[in-house]
Amino acid sequence: MDTHQTYKNMAQTPKAWAMLNGRCPRCRRGEMFIGRTYGWKSNNMYEHCPHCGLTFEIEPGYFYASMYVSYAMNVAEAVTLAVLTYLLTGDLESPWLYLGVILGGCFLLSPVNYRYSRILMLYWLSPKIKYQPHLDTDDKPKHS
């Protein structure tokens, strides 16, 4: 049987699950981050995938571009929080209410933005990284 056909028949980790759980975009098995999203030692990123050995920072300064993704996420969150504040309170007079809710919400969501802006960069905005189904196994592959 052709090896390409064998890989096609293997169970593959769904992309959405791998993204939500912060898994490597190449093998979808190795974790990208050390620790949880919220915690004392959280949001440190591995240099290499512990499963397949992919170097996450493709080139020096690669993740500076994730600041733009994080900014877009912050804007969407701020607008959502403002609309929800209006819908829940009906208040249009108090700028302090909106300022407090938006700044507090963005502060609380900053670890999520940090993590998922990097995940989005690697999954959607990195043409150099492709999913390789033959690495999506429980067997730990040899690092290449």
Side-chain angles (χ1 to χ4, degrees), residues 21-76:
N21 289 286
R23 303 300 178 164
C24 172
R26 184 167 75 173
C27 68
R28 296 185 186 168
R29 292 292 175 126
E31 293 188 17
M32 292 173 56
F33 294 91
I34 302 165
R36 297 184 308 228
T37 304
Y38 292 98
W40 293 109
K41 294 181 181 180
S42 64
N43 276 340
N44 291 323
M45 193 168 183
Y46 287 109
E47 285 185 40
H48 304 279
C49 173
H51 187 76
C52 71
L54 171 70
T55 301
F56 290 125
E57 190 167 5
I58 298 169
E59 54 196 36
Y62 176 75
F63 287 117
Y64 284 128
S66 68
M67 289 188 298
Y68 296 106
V69 175
S70 179
Y71 175 75
M73 292 169 70
N74 263 315
V75 169

Side-chain angles (χ1 to χ4, degrees), residues 1-120:
M1 184 185 280
D2 182 17
T3 56
H4 180 69
Q5 187 66 23
T6 304
Y7 296 137
K8 262 186 154 179
N9 294 334
M10 292 175 59
Q12 296 179 357
T13 305
K15 184 176 187 176
W17 183 91
M19 289 178 71
L20 286 173
N21 289 286
R23 303 300 178 164
C24 172
R26 184 167 75 173
C27 68
R28 296 185 186 168
R29 292 292 175 126
E31 293 188 17
M32 292 173 56
F33 294 91
I34 302 165
R36 297 184 308 228
T37 304
Y38 292 98
W40 293 109
K41 294 181 181 180
S42 64
N43 276 340
N44 291 323
M45 193 168 183
Y46 287 109
E47 285 185 40
H48 304 279
C49 173
H51 187 76
C52 71
L54 171 70
T55 301
F56 290 125
E57 190 167 5
I58 298 169
E59 54 196 36
Y62 176 75
F63 287 117
Y64 284 128
S66 68
M67 289 188 298
Y68 296 106
V69 175
S70 179
Y71 175 75
M73 292 169 70
N74 263 315
V75 169
E77 291 160 0
V79 169
T80 302
L81 288 169
V83 169
L84 285 174
T85 301
Y86 172 73
L87 292 174
L88 292 174
T89 65
D91 184 2
L92 280 175
E93 301 298 318
S94 175
W96 296 111
L97 171 67
Y98 287 92
L99 189 63
V101 169
I102 291 170
L103 289 179
C106 288
F107 177 76
L108 289 174
L109 291 170
S110 63
V112 173
N113 290 345
Y114 171 82
R115 188 172 283 228
Y116 286 102
S117 64
R118 287 175 174 235
I119 290 170
L120 289 173

